């Protein structure tokens, strides 16, 4: 009688063990490669946002884009596209077109769109779509959705007055994608006296403890949050109300907080935010 050849139970177990070991080795590598690809995509997007902002300024007498400013030059709402009140504009429901809606007098997202002509550039592949009904991601065709926030210390000001363009953070990411064109930090009065919203728990940590940042001279790079200083965020004076063990009156050369220990430093503020004195 002729016997058929077959795997023994031991051989099958050895093969399964080898496959499991290979999977344990390769899956983290695949995950890292996927994350690296997302990081590179983000870097490209924020660089193009930077260039769009510079082209806008070139066509606007060197002045940076403004954001729904009131009579005191203060941006209201900070988050164009959400359910916020603006003089003579009080939407009862969030606008499905987000920051691309014409109901908002002006916002950086819509103003820069003609220069980049691509709404997907505003969205990070690493930031999930926020489901909040008041300001979350909109699935409506042509809606404005964004992962990026613009630095409000430069809005409406001349790029010529920016003393350190290569070290000034113009755009930073947030953890989720919403239908808002957010401005943070924000000047208290639109001038240079002070600004807040600098060290936010939901900003600059798309990739673990860091994220991709866009700078005032047009370049972009990945940075750990703790390596980003308050000076780079536009604070020319001292830093106050840190809430992370550091007292008021800290120099602007200290770094932002560790995102794994950050709870919400919305009220961290700079005593002066004059971009010409950075």
């Amino acid at each position: 009688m002729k016997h058929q050849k077959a795997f023994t139970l031991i051989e099958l177990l050895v093969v399964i063990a080898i496959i499991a070991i290979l999977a344990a080795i390769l899956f983290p590598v695949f995950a890292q490669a996927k994350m690296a690809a997302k990081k590179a995509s983000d870097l490209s997007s924020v660089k193009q946002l930077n260039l769009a902002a510079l082209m806008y300024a070139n066509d606007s007498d060197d002045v940076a884009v403004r954001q729904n400013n009131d009579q005191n030059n203060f941006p209201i709402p900070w988050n164009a596209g959400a359910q916020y009140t603006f003089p003579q504009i009080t939407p009862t429901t969030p606008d499905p077109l987000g920051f691309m809606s014409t109901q908002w007098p002006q916002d950086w997202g819509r103003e820069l769109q003609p220069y980049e002509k691509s709404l997907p550039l505003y969205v990070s592949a690493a930031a999930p779509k926020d489901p909040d009904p008041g300001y979350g991601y909109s699935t409506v065709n042509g809606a404005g959705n964004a992962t990026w926030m613009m630095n409000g210390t430069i809005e409406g000001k001349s790029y010529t007055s920016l003393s350190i363009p290569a070290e000034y953070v113009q755009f930073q990411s947030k953890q989720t994608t919403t239908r808002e064109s957010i401005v943070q930090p924000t000047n208290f009065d639109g001038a240079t006296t002070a600004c807040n919203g600098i060290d936010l728990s939901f900003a600059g940590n798309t990739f673990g403890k860091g994220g991709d940042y866009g700078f005032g001279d047009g370049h972009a790079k990945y940075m750990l949050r703790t390596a980003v200083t308050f000076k780079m965020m536009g604070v020319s004076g001292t830093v106050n109300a840190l809430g992370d063990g550091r007292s008021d009156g800290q120099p602007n050369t200290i770094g932002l907080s560790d995102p794994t220990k950050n709870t919400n430093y919305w009220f961290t503020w700079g005593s002066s935010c004059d971009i010409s004195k950075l």
Side-chain angles (χ1 to χ4, degrees), residues 42 123-129 147 174-177 206:
D42 269 18
V123 178
S124 166
K129 300 174 181 178
T147 312
K174 51 190 173 70
Q175 286 181 331
T176 62
T177 301
T206 309

Side-chain angles (χ1 to χ4, degrees), residues 255-276:
L256 303 183
S257 62
D258 182 336
T260 61
K261 300 176 182 178
N262 184 312
T263 53
N264 191 339
Y265 301 131
W266 185 271
F267 294 107
T268 298
W269 59 281
S271 62
S272 177
C273 298
D274 185 346
I275 60 173
S276 68

Side-chain angles (χ1 to χ4, degrees), residues 13-35:
L13 291 175
V14 169
V15 171
I16 292 172
I18 292 173
I19 292 174
I21 292 171
L22 289 174
I25 294 172
L26 294 176
F27 283 171
V29 174
F30 292 152
Q32 290 174 8
K34 185 176 181 180
M35 189 58 68

Side-chain angles (χ1 to χ4, degrees), residues 11 68 88 108 125 131 152 159 170 174 196 198 203 254 256 271:
E11 289 173 329
N68 294 352
Q88 285 119 21
W108 69 260
Y159 276 90
Q170 183 169 226
K174 51 190 173 70
N196 70 345
I198 306 163
I254 63 172
L256 303 183
S271 62

